[in-house]
């Protein structure tokens, strides 16, 4: 495709003079005219720059970080020593001797020689000053049920007792892995911090994932103990969660990993909410066992900074989930520092993050970051719109929440269900965060004006499971907000955009490419659990300048996102460049979904592509080719596929549609053309298909999906325009 030449002259009018509506029209016309669509660079030129909005002066006056010199302190000249500023927010048992060890790239080591304990840093060290202050306030989903207010002292007691149980009953020791399959209940942070106290590596699997998905992760991490709960509330229903544990244990065992003990917390002490029986000798109620450990105290084990703290699984382009292994010292320093400067968390803060602890956001910014700073972290059990779209604002009003954190998908959902709800409640946020996916400027404005009542500074934080904490964001008291843009690199994070061939795209040029981070930082994950080769290959190989070099400058981190940098140094994230779908702010591997479909015996081939969804951002659509002889059973098979996806991965992956097609569009070498299926699903132009082995099937599929009417060409969202392209 011919690229338009960019000069400053032709860029300016597109930024300044054209409205977004006009641009979309022009773009659609041009797509129609040339029939080929735009290159990423051209899209960027058509991107309308939003107006800057400055934080309220009341916010600036009280902010933890309002000194613009922070960027200089964290400049490349001061790297890596600049990160001492974050590490010094923690209490170290032994101070480190080497800030960054680069002797084995890209396996960076931070704060080498240092020793500390994460549980101690999040709880014990606050007791003297804050023992009677709320550490966690848990809000159950049923509104008639009372909140649980857990003070730092109470949290300390619970962590110690559960740590004693893990050690003395479950037989776990430093370095072992333990899997949690827990929803949003306070027993989850208790379990995490009890493990951390002993240096046991925890691996929390998102509660909404299926038993089978949990089993796969148990096997990968070689855990011998599973911690779960009997049930929890979701949209007014008490879910039978223990049933998943049985499936998980069975699945792990089939894969060769035996679970010795299943520790079952109970949602209501003494009552069992599940229909699945407890297995004798394997399953134990935690509340029963804890009676034995009343008053137990467990010394926090002093861990090397480099000891793994936890594993968090994330989706990749191949089926197998990747266990992102995070360190103790580097990770905790990074989340403490970013919670303080970017989230503006003070010990007096009442902070509500509506993410789930089963995702990295919850680990970093519900548990470890806020607790390291002695804040009050509010956890909500259920669905944000239950029983109505006023729920989060009622919680905020009652608990006097002053910092709020959520994802665009929830913001869209809350806006759709209750656009005028926030105004009905008397709460005041000083600060709000958005995370997980690009936020449309229009949605951003609702968040700012309606939810934040124009009183709050907003940060749009771009980062990933692998990163531990934020990579791009504004510092809220220093930089103005720009709707739809994450902002500049964080202090000490030096982003760069490369083209496919490794050539650096001119800074501030507004041209899109692959965003990378030039330097290591303390929150970066250490490796993929059990698969260092895949770690190097996935994140460092593409843009490595010299494999033999021990200089970090030769090893940029490849994030896998498309992005552009505007003249003012703000980055706008365009979405994933690999075959991963971002559903409600979380990554799902298309290959993982496809493998699930292929377990249905009637299915010959499966292809999964993302489509735009008003609320969730992107959702999967499934294309299926059946084995001969099953053509007439389409509907029944589609239902089977939905059930299979839900049981293999979880409800989060439920497809929007399933299309049974006569044949998949294929290249001559037999590769399924997901790009074509994505274009059809999203009503983009399918482009040139003449090189396909079976070009005639494309129109058949188009009619099946879109009906006979001609394609309506709309502006393709940037992340979807290149989905499934051969690389
Ligand atoms: O594509 C980016 C998108 O979410 C991906 C990371 O997903 P996950 O590892 O599940 O972590 C989500 C929460 C940290 C990224 O590769 N993403 C995350 N934050 C943003 C974003 N896209 C645009 N803007 C963001 N603020």
């Amino acid at each position: 495709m011919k690229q338009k030449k960019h000069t400053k002259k032709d860029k300016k009018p597109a930024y300044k003079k054209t409205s977004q509506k006009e641009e979309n029209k022009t773009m659609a016309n041009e797509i129609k005219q040339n029939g080929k669509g735009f290159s990423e660079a051209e899209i960027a030129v058509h991107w309308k720059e939003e107006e800057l909005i400055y934080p309220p002066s009341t916010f600036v006056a009280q902010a933890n970080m309002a000194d613009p010199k922070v960027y200089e302190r964290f400049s490349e000249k001061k790297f890596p020593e600049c990160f001492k500023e974050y590490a010094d927010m923690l209490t170290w048992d032994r101070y480190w001797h080497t800030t960054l060890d680069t002797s084995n790239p890209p396996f960076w080591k931070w704060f080498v020689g240092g020793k500390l304990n994460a549980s101690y840093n999040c709880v014990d060290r606050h007791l003297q000053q804050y023992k009677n202050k709320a550490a966690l306030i848990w809000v159950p989903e049923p509104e008639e049920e009372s909140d649980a207010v857990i003070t730092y002292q109470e949290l300390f007691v619970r962590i110690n007792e559960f740590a004693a149980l893990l050690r003395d009953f479950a037989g776990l020791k430093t370095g072992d892995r333990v899997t949690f399959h827990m929803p949003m209940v306070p027993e989850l942070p208790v379990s995490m911090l009890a493990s951390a106290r002993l240096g046991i590596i925890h691996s929390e699997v998102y509660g909404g994932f299926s038993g089978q998905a949990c089993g796969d992760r148990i096997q990968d991490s070689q855990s011998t103990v599973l911690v779960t709960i009997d049930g929890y509330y979701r949209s007014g229903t008490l879910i039978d969660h223990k049933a998943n544990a049985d499936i998980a244990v069975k699945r792990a065992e089939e894969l060769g990993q035996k679970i010795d003990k299943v520790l079952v917390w109970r949602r209501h002490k003494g009552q069992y909410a599940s229909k699945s029986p407890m297995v004798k000798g394997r399953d134990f109620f935690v509340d029963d066992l804890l009676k034995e450990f009343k008053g137990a105290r467990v010394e926090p084990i002093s861990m090397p900074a480099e000891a793994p703290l936890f594993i968090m699984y994330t989706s990749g382009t191949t089926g197998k989930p990747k266990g992102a292994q995070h360190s103790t010292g580097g990770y905790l320093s990074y989340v403490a520092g970013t919670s303080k400067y970017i989230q503006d968390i003070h010990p007096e803060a009442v902070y509500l993050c509506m993410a789930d602890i089963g995702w990295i956001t919850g680990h970093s910014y519900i548990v470890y970051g806020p607790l390291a700073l002695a804040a009050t972290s509010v956890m909500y059990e259920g669905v944000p719109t239950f029983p109505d779209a006023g729920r989060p604002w009622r919680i905020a009003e009652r608990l006097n929440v002053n910092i709020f954190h959520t994802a665009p998908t929830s913001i869209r959902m809350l806006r759709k269900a209750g656009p005028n709800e926030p105004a009905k409640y008397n709460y005041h946020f000083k600060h709000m965060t958005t995370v997980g996916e690009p936020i449309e400027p229009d949605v951003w404005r609702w968040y700012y004006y309606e939810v934040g009542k124009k009183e709050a500074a907003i940060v749009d934080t771009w980062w990933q499971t692998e990163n531990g904490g934020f990579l791009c964001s504004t510092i809220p008291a220093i930089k103005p907000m720009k709707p739809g843009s994450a902002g500049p690199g964080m202090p000490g994070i030096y982003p760069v955009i490369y083209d496919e061939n490794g050539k650096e795209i001119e800074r501030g040029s507004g041209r899109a490419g692959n965003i990378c981070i030039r330097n290591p930082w303390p929150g970066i994950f250490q490796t993929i659990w059990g698969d260092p080769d895949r770690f190097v290959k996935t994140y460092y190989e593409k843009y490595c300048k010299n494999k033999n070099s021990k200089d970090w400058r030769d090893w940029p981190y490849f994030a896998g996102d498309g992005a552009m940098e505007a003249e003012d140094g703000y980055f706008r994230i365009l979405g994933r460049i690999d075959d991963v779908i971002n559903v409600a702010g979380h990554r799902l591997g298309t290959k993982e979904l496809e493998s699930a479909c292929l377990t249905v015996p009637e299915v010959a081939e499966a292809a999964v592509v993302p489509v735009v969804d008003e609320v969730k951002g992107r959702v999967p659509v499934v294309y299926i080719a059946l084995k001969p002889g099953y053509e007439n059973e389409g509907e029944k098979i589609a239902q089977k596929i939905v059930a299979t996806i839900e049981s293999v991965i979880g409800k989060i992956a439920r497809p929007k549609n399933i299309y049974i097609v006569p044949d998949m569009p294929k290249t001559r070498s037999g590769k399924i053309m997901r790009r074509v299926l994505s274009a059809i699903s999203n009503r983009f132009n399918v482009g040139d298909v003449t090189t396909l082995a079976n070009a005639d099937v494309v129109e058949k599929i188009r009619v099946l999906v879109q009906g006979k009417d001609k394609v309506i060409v709309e502006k393709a969202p940037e992340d979807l325009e290149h989905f499934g392209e051969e690389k």
Side-chain angles (χ1 to χ4, degrees):
M1 182 194 312
K2 247 188 175 171
Q3 296 242 340
K4 213 167 144 188
K5 211 168 159 233
H6 303 291
T7 62
K8 254 195 144 83
K9 228 168 121 209
D10 69 40
K11 191 170 70 182
K12 279 246 155 89
Y15 275 149
K16 305 265 173 349
K17 293 203 181 124
T18 330
S19 75
Q20 185 71 62
K21 215 165 144 198
E22 279 165 341
E23 271 173 38
N24 292 352
K25 223 163 79 192
T26 324
M27 185 173 270
N29 279 337
E30 284 182 42
I31 292 173
K32 269 186 206 151
Q33 278 158 20
N34 70 16
K36 284 188 177 154
F38 283 81
S39 70
E40 281 178 305
E42 284 166 310
I43 290 165
V45 170
H46 283 258
W47 164 247
K48 175 176 163 279
E49 281 290 274
E50 295 287 329
E51 228 178 290
L52 296 176
I53 298 177
Y54 286 82
S57 53
T58 44
F59 176 82
V60 178
Q62 61 79 63
N64 277 329
M65 179 43 66
D67 175 9
K69 288 208 193 80
V70 66
Y71 285 108
E72 198 195 305
R73 286 209 303 279
F74 281 82
S75 67
E76 213 169 320
K77 276 201 306 256
K78 309 276 169 67
F79 180 87
E81 299 307 322
C82 52
F83 282 111
K84 179 179 181 313
E85 187 163 330
Y86 287 175
D88 282 346
M89 293 177 193
L90 304 179
T91 305
W92 294 78
D93 303 332
R94 191 171 79 196
Y95 216 62
W96 64 92
H97 50 70
T98 306
T99 305
L100 172 64
D101 172 354
T102 64
S103 60
N104 183 23
F107 301 90
W108 317 118
K109 291 197 173 97
W110 282 91
F111 309 124
V112 184
K115 284 188 136 189
L116 77 170
N117 183 278
S119 174
Y120 177 89
N121 270 280
C122 290
V123 184
D124 304 35
R125 67 171 178 150
H126 306 317
L127 293 179
Q128 203 180 1
Q129 207 177 344
Y130 296 118
K131 68 170 177 261
N132 291 325
K133 179 179 179 299
L136 297 169
I137 302 181
W138 177 62
V139 181
E141 191 187 73
E143 223 164 349
E144 60 283 3
E145 210 177 309
S146 323
D147 300 342
V149 180
I150 301 170
T151 62
Y152 274 94
Q153 175 66 24
E154 173 66 13
L155 186 59
F156 170 78
V157 169
R158 291 196 196 189
I159 289 168
N160 273 275
E161 291 178 350
F162 191 62
L165 188 160
L166 287 177
R167 185 188 61 192
D168 300 339
F169 177 77
L172 292 174
K173 50 183 195 316
T174 305
D176 288 348
R177 275 80 55 205
V178 58
T179 297
F180 306 150
H181 193 201
M182 297 277 287
M184 284 292 283
V185 290
E187 288 76 13
L188 174 54
V190 167
S191 303
M192 289 162 69
L193 293 163
S195 305
R197 199 165 188 84
L198 294 165
I200 297 164
I201 304 164
H202 60 75
S203 164
E204 151 71 0
V205 178
Y206 167 60
F209 272 153
S210 66
Q212 191 171 327
C214 179
D216 290 342
R217 288 154 177 78
I218 289 173
Q219 187 272 333
D220 191 78
S221 62
Q222 302 129 328
S223 302
T224 53
V225 174
L226 171 65
V227 180
T228 188
I229 193 164
D230 59 343
Y232 63 98
Y233 284 96
R234 201 85 204 147
S235 291
T237 308
L238 185 58
I239 308 249
D240 182 345
H241 189 58
K242 162 66 169 58
N244 291 318
D246 299 326
I247 299 168
V249 171
K250 187 163 164 270
R251 169 77 177 170
E253 205 155 338
E254 282 164 10
L255 297 171
Q257 182 62 32
K258 189 163 179 304
I259 283 284
D260 297 327
K261 290 191 171 73
V262 178
L263 305 178
V264 185
W265 292 93
R266 279 191 277 200
R267 175 64 175 70
H268 302 281
K269 259 191 204 159
Q271 296 169 34
Y272 187 44
S274 169
K275 288 203 178 68
S276 67
M278 297 288 280
V279 176
K280 206 161 173 258
R282 187 199 73 180
D283 300 352
F284 304 90
F285 289 128
V286 176
D287 50 329
D288 282 350
L289 296 173
L290 278 175
K291 289 175 193 150
E292 294 293 311
F293 296 96
K294 262 213 157 7
R297 294 289 178 267
V298 172
E299 265 304 294
I301 296 184
S302 200
M303 299 298 294
E306 272 307 292
L309 178 62
F310 66 85
I311 302 168
M312 166 67 63
Y313 283 89
T314 190
S315 296
T317 46
T318 66
K320 203 166 149 55
K322 298 176 287 193
Q325 176 189 314
H326 282 282
S327 72
T328 305
Y331 170 82
L332 201 62
S333 302
Y334 199 67
V335 297
T338 52
S339 293
K340 183 159 179 175
Y341 291 177
I342 306 300
Q343 299 284 277
D344 201 52
I345 295 179
H346 299 238
E348 301 74 31
V350 182
Y351 166 84
L352 168 60
C353 174
M354 300 246 295
D356 194 291
I357 299 176
W359 306 115
I360 191 72
T361 303
H363 271 47
S364 300
Y365 297 112
I366 296 179
V367 181
Y368 285 111
L371 296 185
L373 299 179
T376 298
S377 187
V378 180
M379 290 175 64
Y380 172 56
E381 178 181 30
V383 174
T385 47
F386 184 86
D388 56 68
R391 189 68 195 275
W393 324 130
R394 279 200 292 286
I395 297 172
E397 182 184 82
R398 198 177 75 250
L399 300 179
N400 203 7
V401 170
N402 66 342
I403 306 180
F404 184 70
H405 187 157
T406 194
T409 184
S410 310
I411 304 172
R412 289 185 214 110
M413 199 159 82
L414 289 161
R415 178 170 80 153
K416 198 169 171 208
N420 304 317
E421 285 299 305
K424 297 180 188 163
Y425 298 93
N426 182 21
Y427 65 85
H428 299 278
F429 296 148
K430 68 164 188 180
H431 182 289
M432 304 195 301
T433 303
T434 163
V435 63
E437 51 182 317
I439 181 164
E440 301 80 353
D442 190 39
V443 176
W444 190 99
R445 279 188 275 273
W446 183 77
Y447 198 37
Y448 180 71
Y449 289 104
E450 302 302 321
V451 177
K453 305 173 180 184
K454 255 181 96 180
E455 298 166 337
I458 294 186
V459 290
D460 178 346
T461 55
W462 169 70
W463 60 299
Q464 317 170 292
T465 305
E466 296 88 337
N467 309 150
F470 310 141
L471 292 182
C472 283
S473 167
T474 49
I475 300 182
I478 301 176
K479 296 271 181 187
M481 307 165 245
K482 188 176 1 170
S485 286
M490 293 272 300
I493 302 287
Y494 322 126
V496 60
I497 299 180
Y498 290 119
D499 70 12
E500 264 309 303
N501 305 316
K503 199 165 158 281
E504 195 172 322
I505 289 180
E506 197 192 329
R507 294 215 59 173
S509 65
R511 286 173 47 220
N514 298 337
I515 189 166
C516 295
I517 307 298
R518 286 196 291 118
N519 60 302
W521 65 98
I524 183 67
F525 70 140
Q526 300 174 292
T527 186
I528 295 175
W529 178 261
D531 203 346
D533 293 344
R534 191 176 175 202
F535 168 74
V536 178
K537 197 163 176 288
T538 312
Y539 301 96
Y540 292 97
E541 209 168 79
K542 191 171 171 84
Y543 291 119
C544 178
K545 293 175 193 147
N546 171 5
K547 283 192 180 135
N548 299 317
S549 168
K550 299 205 183 305
D551 186 339
W552 57 263
R553 290 167 193 81
D554 291 322
W555 293 87
Y557 167 80
F558 171 60
D561 279 338
M564 61 79 100
E565 185 185 4
E567 267 170 329
D568 56 11
Y570 279 39
F571 289 87
R572 180 175 172 245
I573 307 300
L574 306 171
R576 304 288 307 159
I577 50 181
D578 54 16
D579 294 349
V580 167
I581 307 182
N582 189 330
V583 182
H586 298 288
R587 280 186 277 171
L588 290 177
T590 49
K591 297 282 186 301
E592 235 182 316
L593 273 107
E594 289 169 5
S595 344
C597 297
L598 289 170
T599 62
V600 175
E602 297 87 343
V603 172
E605 286 175 310
V608 172
V609 300
V611 293
V612 177
D613 181 270
E614 208 187 309
V615 172
K616 291 186 181 160
R618 305 286 174 265
V619 285
V621 160
V622 175
Y623 286 85
I624 296 290
L626 296 174
K627 289 181 186 158
Y630 291 111
E631 287 79 6
N632 297 329
E633 297 168 47
E635 185 53 32
K636 217 171 74 199
I637 295 167
Q639 281 169 11
K640 252 196 201 175
I641 290 166
V642 173
T644 306
I645 289 178
E646 286 188 6
S647 81
V648 173
I649 299 162
K651 282 209 167 66
I652 190 169
R654 190 204 304 249
K656 187 164 187 157
N657 280 308
I658 294 183
Y659 297 109
I660 314 268
V661 296
D663 194 11
M664 295 286 182
K666 284 191 190 139
T667 61
R668 298 218 160 114
S669 60
K671 258 181 81 180
I672 300 177
M673 294 288 284
R674 288 173 182 77
R675 173 181 70 76
V676 171
L677 296 173
S678 164
I680 292 175
S681 311
N682 289 290
R683 292 179 172 262
F684 309 150
N685 196 304
V686 290
D688 184 8
V689 291
T690 51
T691 56
L692 291 193
N694 52 353
D696 56 323
V697 83
V698 174
E699 181 58 13
K700 285 189 196 147
I701 299 176
R702 195 195 67 72
V703 172
L704 177 78
V705 174
Q706 302 175 351
K708 285 232 156 48
D709 293 350
K710 240 193 136 28
V711 187
I712 304 158
V713 184
E714 286 175 4
K715 181 181 173 291
E718 295 82 345
D719 61 316
L720 295 190
E721 212 203 4
H722 295 277
F723 180 86
E725 269 178 11
E726 313 77 74
K727 288 168 198 118

